[in-house]
Amino acid sequence: LAKTTQPISMDSYEGQEVNITCSHNNIATNDYITWYQQFPSQGPRFIIQGYKTKVTNEVASLFIPADRKSSTLSLPRVSLSDTAVYYCLVGTTSTGGGNKLTFGTGTQLKVEL
Amino acid sequence: DGGITQSPKYLFRKEGQNVTLSCEQNLNHDAMYWYRQDPGQGLRLIYYSQIVNDFQKGDIAEGYSVSREKKESFPLTVTSAQKNPTAFYLCASSIGPRRSGTEAFFGQGTRLTVV
């Protein structure tokens, strides 16, 4: 899997939009970009996944530039409950030969009133 | 309901004893994974399996063992050789080679404390 780099932490206030950027310079042609959210003492939860351009679902948007060497998770109007660690993963499980899902250190988002 | 189940949620063991953590999924997923998480740290991959009767070492396999005799089950044994076994252990599954992307589903974790 391609190595990823994210900020260690970010702070925000309720109602603001939060953008977390992930760098993945050596992303491969077949790789997808996936984001997870983790609350303390729980397993990570899938948020969103994309391959190129923009993907939007009910909780977030994912922006991927044409060169795909980075991606940005956008959380609109965050609330206190969005305080969590956010992980960016790059890779694919579709190739054979033992594909790993390797998580980086993630970004700790803290939302305050 | 479909999902991935880890048991027990909390586990206490004496130093030097082996202990086995259970992970079961009914999602019909081919791939399963075990991670370790220490306080304030990210997830580190212990072992993973892409298919029944096959598994590979992850980044921190020393002191751990696994088996994959059934598609639904991927138990992890923490052996006495693991020098610092106290941690939060997470099991995950994904569709695997049948589909692209890296969407995985996680269990609620087992917190192991060795005294």
Side-chain angles (χ1 to χ4, degrees):
Chain A
L1 291 177
K3 182 176 172 56
T4 60
T5 303
Q6 304 173 231
I8 293 175
S9 64
M10 295 183 69
D11 294 327
S12 184
Y13 294 96
E14 275 204 316
Q16 290 189 333
E17 178 184 76
V18 170
N19 296 309
I20 305 175
T21 297
C22 179
S23 297
H24 28 81
N25 291 323
N26 58 342
I27 188 170
T29 302
N30 293 334
D31 285 346
Y32 282 72
I33 300 157
T34 311
W35 285 82
Y36 290 83
Q37 176 192 56
Q38 185 183 27
F39 296 112
S41 298
Q42 293 186 24
R45 180 177 70 101
F46 171 88
I47 300 175
I48 197 166
Q49 179 175 274
Y51 184 80
K52 62 180 180 180
T53 62
K54 177 184 175 183
V55 178
T56 297
N57 62 22
E58 61 276 7
V59 298
S61 294
L62 179 59
F63 298 92
I64 305 167
D67 66 6
R68 303 203 325 124
K69 293 184 182 300
S70 66
S71 59
T72 300
L73 174 72
S74 181
L75 304 172
R77 297 180 299 281
V78 295
S79 64
L80 293 175
S81 63
D82 292 315
T83 295
V85 177
Y86 293 83
Y87 295 95
C88 163
L89 262 74
V90 173
T92 176
T93 60
S94 67
T95 59
N99 233 323
K100 302 195 286 189
L101 291 183
T102 302
F103 285 74
T105 53
T107 298
Q108 171 68 64
L109 172 64
K110 182 179 179 182
V111 180
E112 299 176 279
L113 288 171
Chain B
D1 289 349
I4 183 164
T5 303
Q6 290 186 241
S7 61
K9 189 170 183 178
Y10 298 96
L11 190 55
F12 295 87
R13 278 295 182 270
K14 290 184 178 179
E15 194 170 342
Q17 289 183 333
N18 291 357
V19 60
T20 297
L21 281 58
S22 171
C23 179
E24 303 277 333
Q25 54 97 0
N26 59 2
L27 300 167
N28 198 32
H29 285 171
D30 287 316
M32 296 187 74
Y33 311 82
W34 273 106
Y35 295 88
R36 169 184 172 136
Q37 189 171 36
D38 295 288
Q41 304 296 313
L43 281 70
R44 291 188 289 169
L45 183 64
I46 305 173
Y47 268 99
Y48 61 107
S49 168
Q50 295 290 307
I51 196 169
V52 175
N53 293 322
D54 188 44
F55 49 83
Q56 288 80 39
K57 292 181 179 180
D59 301 316
I60 56 165
E62 185 175 349
Y64 300 97
S65 66
V66 293
S67 63
R68 187 84 188 276
E69 297 176 1
K70 298 187 300 182
K71 188 175 186 177
E72 303 80 19
S73 179
F74 191 42
L76 172 75
T77 297
V78 184
T79 75
S80 56
Q82 169 49 234
K83 291 180 170 43
N84 186 17
T86 294
F88 186 50
Y89 290 87
L90 286 159
C91 179
S93 70
S94 68
I95 287 181
R98 291 182 278 136
R99 180 177 170 180
S100 298
T102 51
E103 181 176 359
F105 296 82
F106 282 80
Q108 287 303 299
T110 293
R111 189 168 298 281
L112 173 64
T113 302
V114 175
V115 295

